[in-house]
Amino acid sequence: MSTIITDRLYEVHRELATQTEAIYIEINKLATKKPTERITKLISMKINHLITEVKNIVRDDDFLNAIDTVPVNNDFIRLDETLIILAELRSALKKKWQSESFKIYRKENSLRNVSLVERF
């Protein structure tokens, strides 16, 4: 079933893709140095926010559906595990971006969106 892309869905997708990419880059830097280091409560909360929001707009991805939110009190996950989750979120957003619905939306709105920089 094809999703109808609204202006708001398009904007939310772009915002989430940008936020996910920024956090992925920062966590990747940290994970490169200390992959087994535990994340903080703040990072856990940010990751959970991204998981929830991405699941709200990408509803048809089995890998994404298998991701649960991460603990925010004690038992924090490791940086390398966080990176895997962020990679899955990036992948789900990319698949949505490349979907037929988004292609149609971009084609129909190409003049309005010409100045946007595509990361994917």
Side-chain angles (χ1 to χ4, degrees), residues 74-114:
N74 305 319
D75 199 27
F76 296 115
I77 64 173
R78 298 170 4 168
L79 287 167
D80 55 353
E81 295 168 329
T82 305
L83 202 57
I84 291 168
I85 292 170
L86 289 168
E88 289 288 347
L89 296 177
R90 288 172 73 205
S91 175
L93 287 167
K94 183 176 181 178
K95 282 190 267 184
K96 189 72 165 177
W97 180 254
Q98 293 172 340
S99 71
E100 195 60 33
S101 298
F102 265 85
K103 287 178 185 175
I104 291 168
Y105 178 90
R106 286 193 305 274
K107 184 176 180 180
E108 291 174 353
N109 295 281
S110 63
L111 293 177
R112 186 173 61 185
N113 297 321
V114 145

Side-chain angles (χ1 to χ4, degrees), residues 14-58:
R14 296 291 69 215
E15 290 168 7
L16 282 172
T18 300
Q19 290 172 352
T20 302
E21 184 68 17
I23 293 174
Y24 178 90
I25 289 168
E26 293 306 314
I27 296 297
N28 189 34
K29 289 176 191 175
L30 295 169
T32 299
K33 295 177 184 175
K34 296 183 178 181
T36 59
E37 187 81 20
R38 301 281 174 183
I39 63 174
T40 64
K41 182 176 181 174
L42 175 64
I43 295 171
S44 294
M45 291 169 55
K46 289 189 173 291
I47 299 302
N48 284 343
H49 177 75
L50 286 174
I51 291 169
T52 302
E53 292 302 312
V54 171
K55 282 184 172 186
N56 282 338
I57 66 167
V58 181

